[in-house]
Amino acid sequence: MKIILDAMGGDFAPDIVVEGASLVRKEMNHELILVGDETKIRRAADRTHVDLNDPGIQIVHCTQEITMEDSPLSVREKPDSSLRVGFKLLKDGFGDAFVSAGNTGALHAGSTLYVHRIKGVLRSAIATILPLEKPILLIDSGANATVDAAHLYQFAIMGSIYMEKIFGIAHPTVGLLNIGTESKKGTPVQVEAYELLRKSNLNFIGNVEGKEVPFGKCDVLVADGFSGNILLKTIEGMGSFFGKKLKAIFKSNPASLVSALLVKKQVDNLKKSFDASEYGGAPFLGISRPVIKAHGSSDALAIKNAVRQAIFYYNTGIIKDISKYCALPEGVTVSRPKPASKPESKPESKATPADSEASQSAPASQGTSEKSDS
């Protein structure tokens, strides 16, 4: 297989990406394409002592970068960016999967605009494994801030297929993130989604409150991207908080230091079980080719595991199954809010429906086009 790596994406790029690529070559021996500024990539290789003369690593040079602060549609405005070039390589068949730790909104927009969704899928979504008492798939964890019940229904289908294929869980349980367990709790979207899921063939167990999530209440947790991302970041923050508190307790006196030595192995295993980097990146479920989002603060290990995730994802046939099972129940409709009108003082070229959805369905905004790709 050949994996396309966004060398400029992430808080510590390109150094960490180059190091991660080296780990991939040593442990998996798959071919890689590093996309980015070649001069910066080679300087990073010198700093990290990585040999780029490896015939299994190819560099595709580009002159533009998309930062974490750029808008989702910067992928359209910067045609020679590592994201845009990477998407073109993926679409044209020069690679089998694309991995990036870069701007989530731009990654979501670009995958929709240039790689396209699976036929029948209304919205792609980020599927993130929560490393809790047992692995829980959170979908959506940040791509679509505002959704309809039909989107949540499809998220549940895609998430169930993912957990069956990746973790081997037969009939994974599905929960809907909500503020209460009663069927009428939440917004009208949650109430409608509850009914759709209840009538489906999925193993739906009902609404799940945030306090139940750490205890493995379900295998697939369905949410809009806004709520899902808040939950994800809260769990990450609490993990760091308790880790620091535990460290302070062990260092508080000589006796506790001795205790720390006695339980060091168990504590290390606990820390590893809560380490999201062990699970690799998060795929954009619903996109027609494998696109994997690694955490922005990924280290070399996380980049390597994101590539491993991309390879596994490619080989499982998940995309084919999503295409087969994602159809909406008869009579289910999706609202289509009117896009905001443009100021008359700034005449510009007309935006396409795909442009509108890509910019609006990215984090912290609302989608305006629901036509599924054909």
Side-chain angles (χ1 to χ4, degrees), residues 158-193:
M158 295 191 293
S160 294
I161 292 171
Y162 185 89
M163 292 303 278
E164 286 180 1
K165 292 286 188 176
I166 299 294
F167 286 89
I169 300 174
H171 308 296
T173 53
V174 176
L176 181 64
L177 184 64
N178 211 328
I179 58 173
T181 58
E182 299 86 354
S183 62
K184 299 303 180 182
K185 283 284 188 176
T187 71
V189 170
Q190 272 77 36
V191 173
E192 184 182 352

Side-chain angles (χ1 to χ4, degrees), residues 16 48 121 131 177 236 247 257 259 265 324 333 356:
I16 288 300
T48 55
V121 171
L177 184 64
E236 290 177 345
K247 189 175 182 180
L257 280 173
S259 300
K265 184 177 179 180
K324 184 177 179 181
T333 59
S356 177

Side-chain angles (χ1 to χ4, degrees), residues 270-335:
L270 178 64
K271 286 171 64 179
K272 187 175 181 179
S273 71
F274 282 91
D275 186 359
S277 67
E278 292 291 328
Y279 294 98
F284 279 88
L285 296 186
I287 296 297
S288 62
R289 304 291 297 275
V291 176
I292 307 296
K293 172 69 174 78
H295 200 289
S297 61
S298 291
D299 58 13
L301 174 65
I303 294 295
K304 182 203 75 173
N305 286 336
V307 171
R308 182 187 63 190
Q309 176 81 342
I311 294 165
F312 194 32
Y313 182 77
Y314 175 87
N315 288 329
T316 55
I318 289 174
I319 291 174
K320 183 178 179 180
D321 283 351
I322 289 175
S323 176
K324 184 177 179 181
Y325 296 110
C326 70
L328 293 174
E330 185 176 351
V332 174
T333 59
V334 183
S335 65

